Amino acid sequence: MYPVAHMGIAVGGVWAGEKIFRWLARRPELNHRWRTDVDYRLVALGALVPDAIDKPLYRLTSIPSDHTIGHTLLFSLALIAAGALLARRGEPRILWLGLGSLSHPMVDPVIAYPQTLFWPLLGWGFVPSPGIPGWYLRAIDAGLVAVAAAAWWRRSAGFRERARRFVRAGVV
């Protein structure tokens, strides 16, 4: 689990998807219906949901893998379907979580395990996990991002304003 990498890829993917959608839907009536701005904080949080579900299950139970229910397409697609229904009523937060969680299995090594990715279509079991990476890998991940953000923060007033807007409103 590399949380910063998962969050960055999810936010970048949803941002690119939103830009492509808006470009394809240049018709005013479609653009008018898509007036909800994406809350990228929820997309980033959604990218961490599969690990927030599966890691405790792995540690606290006898499940032989740390890539189980949360790392399946079924889980992400169920979140997206529920989110789409709620978004039609003006409440898109679950949709943003679902889109963030969809990016997670695509980045994790679970992409190499179709039995987990397409669970339960290919069977009810999960591929045994090789283990969870050490804390030091997560610390290196967070440290690198902190150093890069600090450097950008010092050099760019535009970056500072974008960072403040992201924290306040979830806008990229």
Side-chain angles (χ1 to χ4, degrees), residues 4-166:
V4 177
H6 281 300
M7 290 186 296
I9 289 168
V11 167
V14 171
W15 177 83
E18 179 191 17
K19 297 302 177 201
I20 291 169
F21 176 79
R22 287 183 190 270
W23 180 75
L24 291 174
R26 287 182 298 234
R27 296 186 308 189
E29 66 274 8
L30 286 179
N31 243 345
H32 177 68
R33 274 194 247 159
W34 184 264
R35 291 306 312 156
T36 304
D37 290 326
V38 176
D39 188 343
Y40 290 99
R41 296 171 298 183
L42 292 172
V43 173
L45 180 64
L48 302 178
V49 167
D51 280 338
I53 292 170
D54 290 345
K55 301 299 183 197
L57 280 175
Y58 176 67
R59 296 244 186 214
L60 300 173
T61 65
S62 60
I63 293 175
S65 177
D66 62 342
H67 293 119
T68 57
I69 303 292
H71 285 77
T72 63
L73 286 179
L74 178 65
F75 174 78
S76 294
L77 295 177
L79 265 179
I80 290 170
L85 289 174
L86 290 171
R88 291 183 64 175
R89 297 182 185 152
E91 185 52 51
R93 289 184 281 190
I94 301 298
L95 178 61
W96 307 144
L97 284 172
L99 290 173
S101 75
L102 181 63
S103 73
H104 191 104
M106 300 303 141
V107 177
D108 260 5
V110 75
I111 194 82
Y113 308 125
Q115 187 175 356
T116 299
L117 189 63
F118 297 109
W119 180 87
L121 295 176
L122 301 178
W124 290 96
F126 294 102
V127 176
S129 177
I132 298 173
W135 63 270
Y136 55 90
L137 293 175
R138 290 185 204 107
I140 291 170
D141 184 35
L144 289 172
V145 169
V147 167
W152 285 328
W153 187 270
R154 289 180 52 135
R155 292 186 177 177
S156 170
F159 177 79
R160 285 193 293 273
E161 183 52 37
R162 286 191 300 272
R164 286 185 185 115
R165 270 194 0 227
F166 176 76

